[in-house]
Amino acid sequence: HEFSGDPRTLFSSATGFIPFQADLGEAWVELNAGISLQVDRFTSLYANGSYQLGVEGDSEAWTGKVGLRVNW
């Protein structure tokens, strides 16, 4: 939930600044899940996903990531 007011950003373009506003006025519920698989001592694979739902029911979002993590 956005408590600070009205978030705004301006993007620069060849024709001037372009305004962007986000309406974050409703509360959200979020569900996350993930998994990590150790391949060897230095390498692991991972995946995670999330689902967000606006409490008022008119907004939703899905996100996901997959990747390879190498430690040295």
Side-chain angles (χ1 to χ4, degrees):
H1 193 86
E2 176 60 48
F3 294 104
S4 298
D6 188 20
R8 282 179 270 173
T9 302
L10 292 176
F11 292 97
S12 178
S13 75
T15 59
F17 288 104
I18 301 169
F20 175 80
Q21 281 188 280
D23 180 11
L24 304 173
E26 67 180 307
W28 289 77
V29 175
E30 183 172 353
L31 176 64
N32 293 299
I35 189 168
S36 180
L37 173 66
Q38 194 75 34
V39 176
D40 61 28
R41 185 173 160 206
F42 301 105
T43 310
S44 61
L45 299 171
Y46 68 90
N48 68 6
S50 68
Y51 175 71
Q52 299 106 23
L53 176 66
V55 172
E56 295 175 10
D58 60 349
S59 302
E60 69 176 349
W62 291 89
T63 59
K65 295 179 187 176
V66 294
L68 173 71
R69 185 174 293 124
V70 179
N71 296 315
W72 62 88

